[in-house]
Amino acid sequence: MNFHAPPASDTLLPTNRTVYPIGVSTIYGIAPLGKTLLALDSLRGSLLQIDPATDNTTIVNPGLTQLFMDATGLAIYQETLWFTCREQVYFCPQAIQAEKINRLSPQLFVTLPYPANGVAVWESTVYVTCEKAGCIFVFSRDTGREITRFYAPGVGSENIAVWQEELWVCDRTEQTVYCLERGTGAVQFSVLTPFEFPSGLGIVQHPETQEKILYVAYSGDELYILDNPNAEPQYQLAKRDRSFIHPLSYHFDPVKNTPPPMAI
């Protein structure tokens, strides 16, 4: 037995471990912020800052929980924080400073005819998923006008993230993560999630290899045995909240997965 083993944070990179945020009910949306992850507890209206190395969780909006109640989508671009809540998409200018939350002053960006599920921002473009509309809305970040829309790859509630020329979408009903072309919305490939009820995803860069690490949040219920000495029977089957964040490993070979040309 090695009594002088270094702490887990030194031997295990945060991107390789499952993250169990402390004291949360639900987790929706993930947005990387420095060495931490931002996420939403939509049931309590909390904006959470999570340390993936220790599971330490901090509520960064203690006085603005009402504004984030039922929020499901989350994104960060430059110094601006974006989130979706019911049918509205909001942005908080100059919310990020020195990789920390500076101030939160939500401003309305756009209102959809149906609930907005997820949001992602890249340069001058804003992507918003909507389950009831069955599509991904594409807006101009400067004007708020709709540019186009893509068909949603799945049928359930979807969250979204962007990485360079790729859109990543997780579908809660189909329990699947899709990789799409950012310009056309065409599906490149899809991956089944190892757990049920994916509710958010975010992409970070590996500190050593510079490869992208895909974090997926899961939020649902789990069964457990409740020991109640005052009840008959004493042991009962019950449900409790289960929310965690897990890095999704996958491999895609574009050469082997490209279909052969059709004969004419």
mmCIF file of all heavy atoms in Angstrom, residues 10-45:
data_model
loop_
_atom_site.group_PDB
_atom_site.id
_atom_site.type_symbol
_atom_site.label_atom_id
_atom_site.label_comp_id
_atom_site.label_asym_id
_atom_site.label_seq_id
_atom_site.Cartn_x
_atom_site.Cartn_y
_atom_site.Cartn_z
ATOM 1 N N ASP A 10 -4.006 15.360 -8.758
ATOM 2 C CA ASP A 10 -2.717 15.370 -9.435
ATOM 3 C C ASP A 10 -2.559 14.191 -10.379
ATOM 4 O O ASP A 10 -1.841 14.263 -11.366
ATOM 5 C CB ASP A 10 -1.577 15.349 -8.411
ATOM 6 C CG ASP A 10 -1.532 16.625 -7.580
ATOM 7 O OD1 ASP A 10 -2.071 17.640 -8.055
ATOM 8 O OD2 ASP A 10 -0.985 16.593 -6.460
ATOM 9 N N THR A 11 -3.178 13.075 -10.079
ATOM 10 C CA THR A 11 -3.006 11.865 -10.881
ATOM 11 C C THR A 11 -4.117 11.668 -11.896
ATOM 12 O O THR A 11 -3.956 10.928 -12.850
ATOM 13 C CB THR A 11 -2.970 10.634 -9.965
ATOM 14 O OG1 THR A 11 -4.204 10.564 -9.232
ATOM 15 C CG2 THR A 11 -1.828 10.737 -8.978
ATOM 16 N N LEU A 12 -5.235 12.321 -11.704
ATOM 17 C CA LEU A 12 -6.378 12.125 -12.584
ATOM 18 C C LEU A 12 -6.819 13.469 -13.133
ATOM 19 O O LEU A 12 -7.181 14.364 -12.388
ATOM 20 C CB LEU A 12 -7.534 11.480 -11.814
ATOM 21 C CG LEU A 12 -8.750 11.036 -12.625
ATOM 22 C CD1 LEU A 12 -8.353 9.946 -13.609
ATOM 23 C CD2 LEU A 12 -9.849 10.558 -11.700
ATOM 24 N N LEU A 13 -6.728 13.624 -14.454
ATOM 25 C CA LEU A 13 -7.148 14.878 -15.047
ATOM 26 C C LEU A 13 -8.646 15.052 -14.861
ATOM 27 O O LEU A 13 -9.414 14.097 -14.964
ATOM 28 C CB LEU A 13 -6.800 14.882 -16.540
ATOM 29 C CG LEU A 13 -5.308 15.000 -16.862
ATOM 30 C CD1 LEU A 13 -5.089 14.818 -18.362
ATOM 31 C CD2 LEU A 13 -4.751 16.324 -16.401
ATOM 32 N N PRO A 14 -9.119 16.287 -14.602
ATOM 33 C CA PRO A 14 -10.558 16.511 -14.409
ATOM 34 C C PRO A 14 -11.403 16.049 -15.582
ATOM 35 O O PRO A 14 -12.554 15.681 -15.417
ATOM 36 C CB PRO A 14 -10.629 18.032 -14.218
ATOM 37 C CG PRO A 14 -9.273 18.440 -13.744
ATOM 38 C CD PRO A 14 -8.325 17.487 -14.391
ATOM 39 N N THR A 15 -10.834 16.053 -16.787
ATOM 40 C CA THR A 15 -11.606 15.665 -17.961
ATOM 41 C C THR A 15 -11.845 14.165 -18.039
ATOM 42 O O THR A 15 -12.549 13.691 -18.925
ATOM 43 C CB THR A 15 -10.874 16.124 -19.229
ATOM 44 O OG1 THR A 15 -9.514 15.683 -19.166
ATOM 45 C CG2 THR A 15 -10.894 17.635 -19.337
ATOM 46 N N ASN A 16 -11.258 13.373 -17.131
ATOM 47 C CA ASN A 16 -11.411 11.921 -17.167
ATOM 48 C C ASN A 16 -12.351 11.391 -16.091
ATOM 49 O O ASN A 16 -12.509 10.184 -15.977
ATOM 50 C CB ASN A 16 -10.043 11.250 -17.003
ATOM 51 C CG ASN A 16 -9.132 11.517 -18.182
ATOM 52 O OD1 ASN A 16 -9.612 11.766 -19.270
ATOM 53 N ND2 ASN A 16 -7.834 11.493 -17.953
ATOM 54 N N ARG A 17 -12.937 12.223 -15.312
ATOM 55 C CA ARG A 17 -13.754 11.758 -14.190
ATOM 56 C C ARG A 17 -15.190 12.240 -14.314
ATOM 57 O O ARG A 17 -15.476 13.264 -14.929
ATOM 58 C CB ARG A 17 -13.155 12.233 -12.857
ATOM 59 C CG ARG A 17 -13.228 13.734 -12.646
ATOM 60 C CD ARG A 17 -12.500 14.172 -11.387
ATOM 61 N NE ARG A 17 -13.110 13.625 -10.199
ATOM 62 C CZ ARG A 17 -14.067 14.254 -9.501
ATOM 63 N NH1 ARG A 17 -14.530 15.428 -9.909
ATOM 64 N NH2 ARG A 17 -14.571 13.722 -8.419
ATOM 65 N N THR A 18 -16.091 11.474 -13.729
ATOM 66 C CA THR A 18 -17.484 11.886 -13.641
ATOM 67 C C THR A 18 -17.630 12.927 -12.542
ATOM 68 O O THR A 18 -17.093 12.782 -11.449
ATOM 69 C CB THR A 18 -18.389 10.685 -13.340
ATOM 70 O OG1 THR A 18 -18.209 9.703 -14.366
ATOM 71 C CG2 THR A 18 -19.844 11.091 -13.293
ATOM 72 N N VAL A 19 -18.358 13.974 -12.842
ATOM 73 C CA VAL A 19 -18.524 15.096 -11.921
ATOM 74 C C VAL A 19 -19.901 15.004 -11.277
ATOM 75 O O VAL A 19 -20.914 14.917 -11.974
ATOM 76 C CB VAL A 19 -18.362 16.439 -12.660
ATOM 77 C CG1 VAL A 19 -18.446 17.604 -11.678
ATOM 78 C CG2 VAL A 19 -17.053 16.480 -13.422
ATOM 79 N N TYR A 20 -19.912 15.029 -9.942
ATOM 80 C CA TYR A 20 -21.168 15.009 -9.188
ATOM 81 C C TYR A 20 -21.297 16.330 -8.436
ATOM 82 O O TYR A 20 -20.823 16.450 -7.307
ATOM 83 C CB TYR A 20 -21.195 13.833 -8.214
ATOM 84 C CG TYR A 20 -21.220 12.477 -8.876
ATOM 85 C CD1 TYR A 20 -20.043 11.772 -9.118
ATOM 86 C CD2 TYR A 20 -22.421 11.898 -9.283
ATOM 87 C CE1 TYR A 20 -20.055 10.538 -9.736
ATOM 88 C CE2 TYR A 20 -22.440 10.666 -9.897
ATOM 89 C CZ TYR A 20 -21.263 9.978 -10.122
ATOM 90 O OH TYR A 20 -21.276 8.746 -10.742
ATOM 91 N N PRO A 21 -21.921 17.328 -9.040
ATOM 92 C CA PRO A 21 -22.056 18.629 -8.371
ATOM 93 C C PRO A 21 -22.800 18.498 -7.042
ATOM 94 O O PRO A 21 -23.765 17.738 -6.918
ATOM 95 C CB PRO A 21 -22.859 19.457 -9.375
ATOM 96 C CG PRO A 21 -22.626 18.792 -10.688
ATOM 97 C CD PRO A 21 -22.499 17.336 -10.389
ATOM 98 N N ILE A 22 -22.340 19.235 -6.074
ATOM 99 C CA ILE A 22 -22.869 19.118 -4.717
ATOM 100 C C ILE A 22 -24.125 19.965 -4.564
ATOM 101 O O ILE A 22 -24.140 21.145 -4.904
ATOM 102 C CB ILE A 22 -21.794 19.558 -3.698
ATOM 103 C CG1 ILE A 22 -20.556 18.663 -3.819
ATOM 104 C CG2 ILE A 22 -22.337 19.517 -2.283
ATOM 105 C CD1 ILE A 22 -19.379 19.126 -2.998
ATOM 106 N N GLY A 23 -25.192 19.348 -4.054
ATOM 107 C CA GLY A 23 -26.397 20.076 -3.664
ATOM 108 C C GLY A 23 -27.259 20.573 -4.803
ATOM 109 O O GLY A 23 -27.926 21.605 -4.654
ATOM 110 N N VAL A 24 -27.293 19.874 -5.939
ATOM 111 C CA VAL A 24 -28.113 20.315 -7.055
ATOM 112 C C VAL A 24 -29.282 19.353 -7.260
ATOM 113 O O VAL A 24 -29.214 18.179 -6.913
ATOM 114 C CB VAL A 24 -27.285 20.422 -8.356
ATOM 115 C CG1 VAL A 24 -26.108 21.366 -8.166
ATOM 116 C CG2 VAL A 24 -26.791 19.055 -8.808
ATOM 117 N N SER A 25 -30.358 19.872 -7.832
ATOM 118 C CA SER A 25 -31.534 19.053 -8.143
ATOM 119 C C SER A 25 -31.529 18.612 -9.599
ATOM 120 O O SER A 25 -31.792 17.458 -9.911
ATOM 121 C CB SER A 25 -32.817 19.840 -7.836
ATOM 122 O OG SER A 25 -32.898 20.169 -6.464
ATOM 123 N N THR A 26 -31.252 19.550 -10.486
ATOM 124 C CA THR A 26 -31.197 19.262 -11.916
ATOM 125 C C THR A 26 -29.998 19.981 -12.520
ATOM 126 O O THR A 26 -29.504 20.958 -11.958
ATOM 127 C CB THR A 26 -32.479 19.720 -12.640
ATOM 128 O OG1 THR A 26 -32.635 21.141 -12.459
ATOM 129 C CG2 THR A 26 -33.697 19.009 -12.096
ATOM 130 N N ILE A 27 -29.551 19.499 -13.666
ATOM 131 C CA ILE A 27 -28.466 20.158 -14.398
ATOM 132 C C ILE A 27 -28.903 20.298 -15.855
ATOM 133 O O ILE A 27 -29.249 19.318 -16.502
ATOM 134 C CB ILE A 27 -27.153 19.355 -14.327
ATOM 135 C CG1 ILE A 27 -26.685 19.191 -12.894
ATOM 136 C CG2 ILE A 27 -26.067 20.063 -15.139
ATOM 137 C CD1 ILE A 27 -25.427 18.354 -12.769
ATOM 138 N N TYR A 28 -28.890 21.526 -16.341
ATOM 139 C CA TYR A 28 -29.181 21.798 -17.748
ATOM 140 C C TYR A 28 -28.123 22.751 -18.289
ATOM 141 O O TYR A 28 -27.699 23.683 -17.605
ATOM 142 C CB TYR A 28 -30.566 22.422 -17.916
ATOM 143 C CG TYR A 28 -31.699 21.425 -17.811
ATOM 144 C CD1 TYR A 28 -32.272 21.130 -16.583
ATOM 145 C CD2 TYR A 28 -32.193 20.781 -18.938
ATOM 146 C CE1 TYR A 28 -33.306 20.208 -16.476
ATOM 147 C CE2 TYR A 28 -33.231 19.862 -18.843
ATOM 148 C CZ TYR A 28 -33.785 19.589 -17.608
ATOM 149 O OH TYR A 28 -34.804 18.678 -17.500
ATOM 150 N N GLY A 29 -27.734 22.506 -19.553
ATOM 151 C CA GLY A 29 -26.773 23.392 -20.184
ATOM 152 C C GLY A 29 -25.414 23.347 -19.513
ATOM 153 O O GLY A 29 -25.311 23.263 -18.294
ATOM 154 N N ILE A 30 -24.360 23.367 -20.295
ATOM 155 C CA ILE A 30 -23.003 23.434 -19.773
ATOM 156 C C ILE A 30 -22.232 24.464 -20.589
ATOM 157 O O ILE A 30 -22.314 24.461 -21.823
ATOM 158 C CB ILE A 30 -22.280 22.077 -19.850
ATOM 159 C CG1 ILE A 30 -23.015 21.011 -19.041
ATOM 160 C CG2 ILE A 30 -20.848 22.200 -19.351
ATOM 161 C CD1 ILE A 30 -22.375 19.646 -19.132
ATOM 162 N N ALA A 31 -21.505 25.327 -19.889
ATOM 163 C CA ALA A 31 -20.668 26.317 -20.559
ATOM 164 C C ALA A 31 -19.321 26.369 -19.862
ATOM 165 O O ALA A 31 -19.262 26.704 -18.676
ATOM 166 C CB ALA A 31 -21.335 27.693 -20.540
ATOM 167 N N PRO A 32 -18.234 26.002 -20.533
ATOM 168 C CA PRO A 32 -16.915 26.053 -19.907
ATOM 169 C C PRO A 32 -16.515 27.484 -19.562
ATOM 170 O O PRO A 32 -16.742 28.420 -20.339
ATOM 171 C CB PRO A 32 -15.986 25.468 -20.983
ATOM 172 C CG PRO A 32 -16.887 24.712 -21.903
ATOM 173 C CD PRO A 32 -18.185 25.428 -21.898
ATOM 174 N N LEU A 33 -15.917 27.659 -18.403
ATOM 175 C CA LEU A 33 -15.432 28.963 -17.949
ATOM 176 C C LEU A 33 -14.106 28.738 -17.232
ATOM 177 O O LEU A 33 -14.080 28.352 -16.064
ATOM 178 C CB LEU A 33 -16.441 29.639 -17.017
ATOM 179 C CG LEU A 33 -16.034 31.021 -16.487
ATOM 180 C CD1 LEU A 33 -15.816 31.995 -17.636
ATOM 181 C CD2 LEU A 33 -17.094 31.562 -15.525
ATOM 182 N N GLY A 34 -13.002 28.955 -17.952
ATOM 183 C CA GLY A 34 -11.698 28.692 -17.373
ATOM 184 C C GLY A 34 -11.533 27.217 -17.056
ATOM 185 O O GLY A 34 -11.753 26.355 -17.900
ATOM 186 N N LYS A 35 -11.169 26.924 -15.812
ATOM 187 C CA LYS A 35 -11.017 25.541 -15.362
ATOM 188 C C LYS A 35 -12.295 25.009 -14.724
ATOM 189 O O LYS A 35 -12.287 23.923 -14.140
ATOM 190 C CB LYS A 35 -9.862 25.436 -14.370
ATOM 191 C CG LYS A 35 -8.510 25.773 -14.977
ATOM 192 C CD LYS A 35 -7.401 25.620 -13.953
ATOM 193 C CE LYS A 35 -6.039 25.940 -14.567
ATOM 194 N NZ LYS A 35 -4.936 25.797 -13.581
ATOM 195 N N THR A 36 -13.386 25.743 -14.826
ATOM 196 C CA THR A 36 -14.653 25.336 -14.228
ATOM 197 C C THR A 36 -15.717 25.189 -15.308
ATOM 198 O O THR A 36 -15.492 25.500 -16.482
ATOM 199 C CB THR A 36 -15.127 26.357 -13.176
ATOM 200 O OG1 THR A 36 -15.390 27.620 -13.829
ATOM 201 C CG2 THR A 36 -14.061 26.558 -12.103
ATOM 202 N N LEU A 37 -16.880 24.707 -14.892
ATOM 203 C CA LEU A 37 -18.031 24.567 -15.774
ATOM 204 C C LEU A 37 -19.198 25.349 -15.184
ATOM 205 O O LEU A 37 -19.465 25.263 -13.989
ATOM 206 C CB LEU A 37 -18.428 23.100 -15.931
ATOM 207 C CG LEU A 37 -17.382 22.133 -16.491
ATOM 208 C CD1 LEU A 37 -17.900 20.698 -16.409
ATOM 209 C CD2 LEU A 37 -17.023 22.485 -17.924
ATOM 210 N N LEU A 38 -19.884 26.096 -16.013
ATOM 211 C CA LEU A 38 -21.138 26.722 -15.609
ATOM 212 C C LEU A 38 -22.297 25.821 -16.025
ATOM 213 O O LEU A 38 -22.265 25.214 -17.090
ATOM 214 C CB LEU A 38 -21.301 28.102 -16.244
ATOM 215 C CG LEU A 38 -20.407 29.233 -15.757
ATOM 216 C CD1 LEU A 38 -20.819 30.537 -16.427
ATOM 217 C CD2 LEU A 38 -20.457 29.377 -14.246
ATOM 218 N N ALA A 39 -23.306 25.741 -15.191
ATOM 219 C CA ALA A 39 -24.484 24.930 -15.485
ATOM 220 C C ALA A 39 -25.691 25.564 -14.811
ATOM 221 O O ALA A 39 -25.562 26.492 -13.993
ATOM 222 C CB ALA A 39 -24.288 23.495 -15.012
ATOM 223 N N LEU A 40 -26.871 25.052 -15.140
ATOM 224 C CA LEU A 40 -28.126 25.593 -14.613
ATOM 225 C C LEU A 40 -28.857 24.542 -13.790
ATOM 226 O O LEU A 40 -28.970 23.393 -14.217
ATOM 227 C CB LEU A 40 -29.031 26.053 -15.768
ATOM 228 C CG LEU A 40 -28.561 27.235 -16.606
ATOM 229 C CD1 LEU A 40 -29.341 27.300 -17.913
ATOM 230 C CD2 LEU A 40 -28.707 28.539 -15.831
ATOM 231 N N ASP A 41 -29.324 24.945 -12.630
ATOM 232 C CA ASP A 41 -30.288 24.157 -11.868
ATOM 233 C C ASP A 41 -31.637 24.814 -12.111
ATOM 234 O O ASP A 41 -32.022 25.754 -11.407
ATOM 235 C CB ASP A 41 -29.933 24.142 -10.379
ATOM 236 C CG ASP A 41 -30.819 23.188 -9.582
ATOM 237 O OD1 ASP A 41 -31.924 22.862 -10.054
ATOM 238 O OD2 ASP A 41 -30.414 22.782 -8.476
ATOM 239 N N SER A 42 -32.350 24.344 -13.127
ATOM 240 C CA SER A 42 -33.575 25.016 -13.563
ATOM 241 C C SER A 42 -34.685 24.935 -12.531
ATOM 242 O O SER A 42 -35.583 25.780 -12.506
ATOM 243 C CB SER A 42 -34.056 24.417 -14.891
ATOM 244 O OG SER A 42 -34.331 23.036 -14.746
ATOM 245 N N LEU A 43 -34.658 23.922 -11.667
ATOM 246 C CA LEU A 43 -35.699 23.776 -10.658
ATOM 247 C C LEU A 43 -35.586 24.857 -9.588
ATOM 248 O O LEU A 43 -36.595 25.391 -9.117
ATOM 249 C CB LEU A 43 -35.612 22.388 -10.018
ATOM 250 C CG LEU A 43 -36.717 22.007 -9.039
ATOM 251 C CD1 LEU A 43 -38.069 21.989 -9.750
ATOM 252 C CD2 LEU A 43 -36.448 20.652 -8.397
ATOM 253 N N ARG A 44 -34.354 25.204 -9.223
ATOM 254 C CA ARG A 44 -34.134 26.211 -8.183
ATOM 255 C C ARG A 44 -33.755 27.575 -8.743
ATOM 256 O O ARG A 44 -33.616 28.534 -7.988
ATOM 257 C CB ARG A 44 -33.037 25.727 -7.230
ATOM 258 C CG ARG A 44 -33.387 24.431 -6.510
ATOM 259 C CD ARG A 44 -32.237 23.939 -5.672
ATOM 260 N NE ARG A 44 -32.575 22.728 -4.934
ATOM 261 C CZ ARG A 44 -31.709 22.018 -4.215
ATOM 262 N NH1 ARG A 44 -30.444 22.420 -4.141
ATOM 263 N NH2 ARG A 44 -32.091 20.929 -3.585
ATOM 264 N N GLY A 45 -33.532 27.649 -10.050
ATOM 265 C CA GLY A 45 -33.144 28.918 -10.647
ATOM 266 C C GLY A 45 -31.716 29.310 -10.350
ATOM 267 O O GLY A 45 -31.387 30.505 -10.342
#
